[in-house]
């Protein structure tokens, strides 16, 4: 299962830019493994002076962006689970800015963030391995848009790539 299998009716237009970053031939589970290694290598390569850097006042630090990637994976995998279990209850959106201050990301060490990321990613992989094609293709509703379980899972990969690209362009 790859992003080229996704139909535009499986996700809201907002997510198109994230999904466009995921290689079209990348298999879903392989994407989670390779994405994990790429993210770990990327965040480990950053110098300590960049971790709490803001390129502009009121912008998130690199640590806060990393925490945001982790939190968003949790949220989208929760959506993936609910939808894959054929839950038709509309799922609400979330205000990402509300998550940053309570996360206290800047008080965490890089090692703590890396560990948290790895545990969340392992949980995501185990969930995805447990789902069959019918369940991954099921379409629910999130933030007022159709969302298939597989689209939710692919969005996680694209979202991560998006933010690593932003860090490279604006923080380094």
């Amino acid at each position: 299962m790859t992003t080229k299998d996704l139909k535009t009716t499986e996700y809201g237009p907002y997510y198109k830019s994230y999904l466009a970053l995921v290689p079209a031939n990348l298999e879903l589970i392989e994407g989670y493994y390779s994405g994990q290694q790429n993210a770990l290598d990327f965040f480990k390569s950053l110098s300590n002076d960049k971790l709490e850097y803001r390129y502009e006042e009121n912008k998130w630090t690199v640590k806060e962006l990393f925490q945001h990637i982790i939190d968003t994976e949790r949220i989208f995998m929760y959506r993936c689970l609910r939808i894959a279990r054929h839950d038709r209850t509309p799922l609400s959106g979330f205000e990402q800015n509300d998550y940053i201050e309570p996360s206290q990301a800047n008080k965490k060490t890089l090692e703590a963030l890396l560990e948290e990321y790895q545990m969340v990613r392992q949980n995501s992989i185990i969930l995805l391995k447990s789902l069959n094609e019918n369940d991954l293709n099921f379409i629910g509703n999130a933030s007022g848009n159709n969302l298939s379980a597989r689209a939710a899972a692919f969005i996680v990969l694209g979202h991560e790539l998006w933010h690593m690209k932003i860090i490279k362009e604006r923080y380094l």
Side-chain angles (χ1 to χ4, degrees):
M1 178 170 307
T2 65
T3 56
K4 68 182 179 183
D5 299 320
L6 289 175
K7 298 172 187 70
T8 56
T9 56
E10 293 182 57
Y11 56 89
Y14 177 83
Y15 300 110
K16 187 175 184 174
S17 57
Y18 295 148
L19 293 168
L21 295 174
V22 180
N25 293 324
L26 184 67
E27 291 290 331
L28 183 58
I29 300 287
E30 178 52 38
Y32 272 75
Y33 283 115
S34 62
Q36 177 178 10
Q37 193 57 57
N38 289 340
L40 291 172
D41 291 344
F42 176 73
F43 284 101
K44 286 177 183 177
S45 76
L46 300 177
S47 62
N48 284 335
D49 63 315
K50 289 294 185 185
L51 296 176
E52 294 183 27
Y53 171 73
R54 297 174 199 276
Y55 71 89
E56 194 175 284
E57 188 177 343
N58 296 321
K59 293 297 182 181
W60 296 344
T61 67
V62 171
K63 281 183 175 180
E64 289 170 334
L65 277 167
F66 194 15
Q67 185 69 64
H68 169 68
I69 289 169
I70 295 165
D71 288 348
T72 300
E73 182 162 340
R74 285 181 168 122
I75 290 165
F76 272 80
M77 293 312 292
Y78 171 73
R79 291 175 176 183
C80 177
L81 170 67
R82 294 267 311 261
I83 294 166
R85 296 290 194 250
H86 300 225
D87 186 341
R88 295 181 188 276
T89 307
L91 302 170
S92 63
F94 73 103
E95 177 48 59
Q96 62 188 12
N97 289 315
D98 292 345
Y99 282 58
I100 294 302
E101 188 176 333
S103 77
Q104 299 187 16
N106 289 326
K107 292 183 179 179
K108 296 178 181 179
T109 64
L110 177 60
E111 291 72 26
L113 287 165
L114 291 166
E115 179 182 33
E116 185 176 350
Y117 172 82
Q118 288 177 282
M119 293 301 107
V120 169
R121 181 53 57 100
Q122 281 307 113
N123 184 56
S124 298
I125 291 168
I126 290 167
L127 172 62
L128 291 171
K129 285 181 172 182
S130 77
L131 301 174
N132 65 41
E133 191 170 336
N134 183 55
D135 297 332
L136 285 165
N137 289 333
F138 192 81
I139 297 176
N141 184 289
S143 303
N145 292 291
N146 283 346
L147 184 67
S148 68
R150 69 183 182 173
F154 276 117
I155 289 167
V156 168
L157 297 178
H159 178 262
E160 180 175 271
L161 291 168
W162 173 270
H163 282 294
M164 290 193 317
K165 180 176 172 269
I166 295 293
I167 292 169
K168 289 174 189 172
E169 292 172 356
R170 300 181 189 170
Y171 290 79
L172 304 180

